[in-house]
Amino acid sequence: MKILLVGGGGREHALAWKLAQDRRRPELFCAPGNAGTAELGVNVPIPAEDIDGVVAWARREKPDLTVIGPEAPLCAGLADRLHAEGFRAFGPCRAAAQLEGSKVFAKSVLQAAGVPTAQSETFTNAEKALAYVRAAKSPLVVKADGLASGKGVLICANTREAEDAVATAMIHQSFGKAGRQILVEEFLEGEEVSILALVDGRQAVLLPSAQDHKRALDGDLGLNTGGMGAYSPAPMETAAFRKMVLDTIFNPTLKELRRRDITYQGVLYAGLMMTAAGPKVLEFNCRFGDPETQVILPRLKGDLIPAMEACITGNLLPEHAACRPEACVCVVMTAGGYPGAYRKGDAIAGLKEAAALSETMVFHAGTKLAGKQIVTAGGRVLGVTALGRTLCETAGKAYQAVARITFQDAHYRRDIAAKGIKRNRG
Ligand code: AMP
Ligand code: GLY
């Protein structure tokens, strides 16, 4: 079996790692991949956003399955293009991917479906948006409608910051086309949790829950990042919580999409805020999370290919998402300075020593091969991941592995999973 995996981050290395263990032992190709995926298959030098390039490769090489990792190719219609040529692809079509590609679309679906979410107003006119934020109560959240590489959400403590945020998006057009429309949203308070589900067009089956750590520094301080680490299960996860999330969030959302004649197939990721009034949807993503995937896939009991095929054919079963009882923790090591400017091309040492520890996986993100040496090639460099009995023990194992890895100016948070450990003790 031949599989093409589109993307080149930590998520894709984790996907490649899980796919490579499948009993069908697939032949893996990764576009463009990283130094980690190169150990499991063949990297193909096609950027994930180059849809024409990916389709041309598929025509030539005829993969049995294409797994699309990142949001950009999904929102640009890569799954539609592959389907049109008769190829099987895991990931939603363009219309369904709008749940991530347009926050205005996602909000209209949430509102129509009666799913709990922050109150919000949509604006296409800067003057009207400015008048609104001047009259509204702070704090406010200003969101660019379209994809903005995770930078399009601005949390505004006061009116002045909200005015600046509107100007950033609509007048200075700092997010390009993505900021032509904005949402101004009520600020929600609480703890965040990522709930991902496999979806087969009709129904959703929840994967293990996870909690990400968005800020760059310990104690949730510093700038927002793509994610500095994750752990699974999230502390609020109980059977009752999972049922409530399925009944009040996923099922009504899918029903509303069906009403609009949109079929969702792939992973649907709901970013939730646990407010005093219950969980509310902050955002949808149309794909696996990064670094959530690095802690979800090691906990998945069965093979991934049958689960993905079941999503495509509409035959998803709860067993496809069955999970192991162990906890999983991923500590992201970044280049110093990330998410600001950072160095690239520094040699990474200790990768083998770290991976040799029991139940430890070192997932690569921004890495590449320079001759025989693995070097840094991005902001998030590695996701050092361990599986273990308790969250506390597992975090200890992940940090032991982190201690064996060195590269110039490496940075990581020291408190990944600390909230969950505290909650379990308390
Ligand atoms: P996103 O880029 O859509 O993932 O949003 C980034 C982050 O912004 C989320 O993970 C939350 O931490 C925060 N956020 C988004 N919307 C709200 C909101 N209405 N209230 C509070 N925080 C929010
Ligand atoms: N970890 C957040 C995301 O994947 O968007």
Side-chain angles (χ1 to χ4, degrees), residues 103 118 141 143 150 153 155 185-188 192 214 224 273 282-283:
K103 292 188 195 293
V141 184
K143 298 184 169 183
V153 174
I155 312 276
E185 225 173 72
E186 143 199 41
F187 176 79
L188 297 178
E192 284 182 52
K214 291 246 172 206
N224 250 327
M273 186 70 94
L282 288 173
E283 54 155 352

Side-chain angles (χ1 to χ4, degrees), residues 127-191:
E127 284 313 315
K128 286 193 178 144
L130 287 170
Y132 177 82
V133 303
R134 284 177 193 132
K137 218 167 77 209
S138 297
L140 289 169
V141 184
V142 173
K143 298 184 169 183
D145 173 50
L147 293 181
S149 317
K151 296 185 176 69
V153 174
L154 303 166
I155 312 276
C156 312
N158 51 48
T159 307
R160 175 73 203 279
E161 285 182 20
E163 288 171 336
D164 288 349
V166 170
T168 301
M170 302 190 93
I171 299 170
H172 310 306
Q173 300 178 2
S174 302
F175 311 119
K177 274 197 304 203
R180 272 193 205 153
Q181 263 194 111
I182 62 163
L183 287 175
V184 181
E185 225 173 72
E186 143 199 41
F187 176 79
L188 297 178
E189 258 175 295
E191 213 173 313

